[in-house]
Amino acid sequence: MKNLLEFLTKYYHWFIFVVLEVASVILLFQYNSYQGSVWFSSANTVVGKLYEWRSDVESFFSLTTKNEELTLRNFYLERQVHELSAAYIELTKDTTVLERNGLKFLQRYSLIPAKVVSNSVNKPDNLLTIDKGSKDGVKVDMGVACGNGVVGIVYLVGEHYSVVIPALNSTSSRISCAIRGRDYFGYLHWAGGDASRAYVEDIPRHAQFRRGEWVVTSGYSSIFPPGVMVGQIEKVFNSPDGLSYRLQLKLATDFGNLRDVFVINDESVEEQSRLLRAAQDSLKAKQN
């Protein structure tokens, strides 16, 4: 005991120094949002790597179930594509138009495969992290989807990891949607709570649709191509002002079991952005 007291007496200033350093670091990052976001963001390489290891372990134990789900879904989609193609060819008598149009459409887009390494579904403003970053071609505001449907939009990009705002974010997620096969559109909004359900706001009162119909991305923004699955209409409500409908959806994406996703890179976005900036600069020049 005497030796311990002598040791503490001799080196007490070092202990005080360490305690003060730890306290200052905690105060710095807890009460300064910029420093906190830079160092403790899940896009940070160190934190991202830890999330990735944990995700790999979880993915290993869920492989059997996921493979069964993918096999069934692939079979269903193959049959659906076959039946639709056969019906279209029968109507048009043109066996090449589907291939031509499909290739022309897909040339605009490139897909960056990624894995979810961190995810939350039980917060008002959820975020998820993927294992691809700027070195893989990921940029802010790119759309993210999975085999079942829409996931979210890239919010923050590091070299090797990126943070995504998913559809399950009550304040920041606004994805343009349309009722499949119809011209009525609105935007997706999650109100919190149930991670399997969200709402489409601002559907016009004159819209004609039925419960059970599917809602997809509208394609009116450069983030998602048209036709990416969003969810199925379960209930219909009036908006608070009574001027539009509010649709409750059963989301197509299972956010609680999300592993494999892909980032959608629209090759035409940069051209659109350049044209928009040029138009804005031209208007400013005329005003001056």
Side-chain angles (χ1 to χ4, degrees):
M1 188 66 180
K2 181 180 178 181
N3 291 336
L4 177 61
L5 292 174
E6 289 179 353
F7 175 80
L8 293 176
T9 302
K10 184 176 181 180
Y11 296 103
Y12 75 94
H13 53 282
W14 287 108
F15 290 108
I16 295 175
F17 173 77
V18 171
V19 170
L20 291 176
E21 282 292 309
V22 172
S24 62
V25 169
I26 292 173
L27 291 173
L28 174 66
F29 292 123
Q30 186 172 359
Y31 295 103
N32 293 273
S33 58
Y34 175 76
Q35 286 85 351
S37 64
V38 169
W39 291 102
F40 291 119
S41 166
S42 56
N44 181 279
T45 301
V46 176
V47 178
K49 200 66 180 177
L50 293 175
Y51 281 140
E52 185 177 359
W53 290 338
R54 186 185 68 180
S55 178
D56 288 343
V57 173
E58 293 175 352
S59 297
F60 175 79
F61 290 105
S62 64
L63 280 177
T64 301
T65 303
K66 294 296 291 183
N67 286 336
E68 291 176 356
E69 292 175 356
L70 287 172
T71 300
L72 290 172
R73 181 164 180 80
N74 285 339
F75 176 76
Y76 170 76
L77 291 175
E78 286 174 3
R79 297 305 305 162
Q80 188 178 48
V81 169
H82 175 76
E83 295 298 331
L84 290 173
S85 299
Y88 188 87
I89 291 170
E90 184 177 350
L91 288 171
T92 62
K93 309 301 180 184
D94 187 347
T95 61
T96 62
V97 67
L98 286 175
E99 183 177 356
R100 293 199 310 271
N101 291 342
L103 289 174
K104 184 178 179 180
F105 177 77
L106 290 174
Q107 282 176 353
R108 281 183 52 188
Y109 301 96
S110 61
L111 304 181
I112 304 170
K115 289 189 179 297
V116 176
V117 297
S118 173
N119 188 18
S120 64
V121 297
N122 56 0
K123 300 176 181 178
D125 299 312
N126 295 290
L127 296 173
L128 62 87
T129 306
I130 58 175
D131 65 347
K132 291 294 188 292
S134 58
K135 286 195 172 182
D136 305 290
V138 179
K139 298 177 183 177
V140 172
D141 289 338
M142 284 185 173
V144 181
C146 66
N148 292 328
V150 163
V151 173
I153 300 171
V154 176
Y155 170 66
L156 182 65
V157 178
E159 286 191 359
H160 303 288
Y161 299 91
S162 299
V163 176
V164 176
I165 295 178
L168 302 185
N169 190 296
S170 61
T171 59
S172 301
S173 180
R174 293 291 187 274
I175 298 172
S176 179
C177 303
I179 301 173
R180 188 168 66 179
R182 305 180 186 271
D183 295 329
Y184 311 119
F185 62 92
Y187 66 90
L188 185 67
H189 175 237
W190 184 63
D194 190 348
S196 65
R197 285 169 175 81
Y199 297 90
V200 176
E201 312 282 358
D202 293 345
I203 297 295
R205 295 286 296 183
H206 63 270
Q208 298 180 358
F209 55 87
R210 296 185 301 274
R211 276 177 282 191
E213 289 192 274
W214 286 92
V215 171
V216 298
T217 53
S218 65
Y220 291 149
S221 72
S222 58
I223 296 175
F224 289 100
V228 180
M229 204 68 72
V230 176
Q232 193 171 25
I233 301 173
E234 283 189 327
K235 296 180 181 179
V236 181
F237 304 96
N238 288 321
S239 63
D241 58 13
L243 300 178
S244 60
Y245 288 125
R246 187 179 195 230
L247 310 183
Q248 179 180 300
L249 303 184
K250 170 72 172 178
L251 293 173
T253 300
D254 181 2
F255 285 90
N257 195 27
L258 196 59
R259 290 290 181 271
D260 295 293
V261 298
F262 49 86
V263 182
I264 303 170
N265 180 17
D266 186 347
E267 303 291 348
S268 67
V269 169
E270 291 187 8
E271 181 181 355
Q272 294 176 29
S273 299
R274 286 197 302 270
L275 289 173
L276 182 60
R277 286 195 298 269
Q280 291 172 340
D281 293 341
S282 177
L283 289 173
K284 288 180 181 178
K286 289 181 180 179
Q287 292 172 354
N288 296 331

